[in-house]
Amino acid sequence: MHNEIPNTLRCAEALKESLSDLILQIGSVPVGVPGQFPFGWRKAAKGRTVWRLLEEVISQNLETRAAEIGLSQFSPAQSEVGVYDFSFQLANSIPKTYVNIKSSVRGGRQNKDDISKARPLLSFIANTKDCILLIASIEIDFLEQPMRIDLTNCYVVPVTWLPDIYVNPSNNGNLQSSKYKNIEESVRRTRSQFTRLLRQEIELADLKRASRGGP
């Protein structure tokens, strides 16, 4: 489809704008009441510790306010283990957009993080006609007195545009990336270009795992 690249960019920009409005409306998410955590966050101040709860807050508010923030035909995913969390339609002339939500702790180090299991991701993109798949990273901050989590920023990047594509042979075959927040660093690929690269990375990961004697 000759409009694939501009349509993908349009959807990414629209989602970022909508999510930015949404997190301003949500603001802070309180945790407990005064006195319940005498020593504060301690080791719990990690994205994975609270992310499932925050994901639900974001998803429910998105579903409630979708039309208000410019997302039509909003639909949450039916499965919790798929490659996306919700979908929407920006316009009739643009393919359906699927979104994978992730958390990002404010001020955290830039690491290679899991994006999705590589094989299901490859199958989804290859078999879902004209789909657009985005990663939406919600930046969070852990605050004290009172204990709360602030939603401070969001980043949206197309999965097919990730500049560093790597499949970890030792981590359930997950696609990983360290550059999934800055769309300015992305590589504007088509779906077919991405799936070709991802297949190559899966094959390479399989070879590495076999050479180590893995299953």
Side-chain angles (χ1 to χ4, degrees):
M1 188 175 66
H2 68 282
N3 287 327
E4 181 179 345
I5 299 296
N7 280 344
T8 301
L9 179 60
R10 182 179 170 188
C11 289
E13 291 175 341
L15 180 64
K16 178 173 172 55
E17 183 177 348
S18 295
L19 283 175
S20 296
D21 290 343
L22 183 76
I23 63 176
L24 281 175
Q25 293 173 20
I26 295 174
S28 296
V29 179
V31 176
V33 298
Q36 284 186 329
F37 293 88
F39 300 107
W41 284 102
R42 283 192 167 175
K43 296 180 181 179
K46 298 177 182 178
R48 66 176 179 269
T49 304
V50 300
W51 179 241
R52 183 63 191 92
L53 178 61
L54 291 178
E55 184 180 40
E56 194 65 29
V57 170
I58 293 165
S59 294
Q60 289 191 22
N61 277 273
L62 273 171
E63 188 169 357
T64 300
R65 307 176 187 180
E68 176 187 334
I69 59 177
L71 305 180
S72 63
Q73 299 185 39
F74 181 92
S75 178
Q78 298 301 308
S79 170
E80 291 187 1
V81 294
V83 301
Y84 73 96
D85 296 296
F86 66 88
S87 63
F88 69 92
Q89 192 88 25
L90 190 62
N92 290 334
S93 61
I94 296 179
K96 183 179 286 189
T97 300
Y98 300 85
V99 183
N100 181 7
I101 311 177
K102 295 196 170 295
S103 66
S104 172
V105 179
R106 185 179 183 185
R109 292 183 300 174
Q110 187 179 36
N111 299 315
K112 263 192 191 305
D113 294 327
D114 291 341
I115 302 301
S116 188
K117 293 189 182 304
R119 281 186 168 81
L121 177 65
L122 177 63
S123 177
F124 178 80
I125 295 177
N127 296 312
T128 307
K129 184 180 179 181
D130 295 338
C131 72
I132 294 172
L133 181 60
L134 307 175
I135 305 170
S137 300
I138 308 298
E139 185 182 77
I140 60 178
D141 198 7
F142 295 90
L143 301 176
E144 312 271 358
Q145 300 179 358
M147 282 181 64
R148 65 195 188 277
I149 301 162
D150 272 6
L151 309 181
T152 56
N153 206 344
C154 69
Y155 311 91
V156 178
V157 173
V159 172
T160 53
W161 294 9
L162 291 172
D164 55 336
I165 300 172
Y166 171 72
V167 175
N168 191 330
S170 305
N171 191 26
N172 298 317
N174 282 333
L175 169 65
Q176 296 183 326
S177 174
S178 62
K179 299 180 179 180
Y180 57 91
K181 297 177 187 176
N182 189 352
I183 198 169
E184 300 302 325
E185 295 182 355
S186 64
V187 178
R188 299 188 178 189
R189 303 186 192 91
T190 63
R191 287 182 299 277
S192 61
Q193 289 171 331
F194 174 79
T195 54
R196 185 165 56 250
L197 291 173
L198 184 55
R199 282 194 183 94
Q200 292 172 358
E201 285 299 317
I202 290 172
E203 291 171 1
L204 183 59
D206 288 344
L207 289 173
K208 289 178 180 178
R209 188 163 49 250
S211 69
R212 298 172 187 171

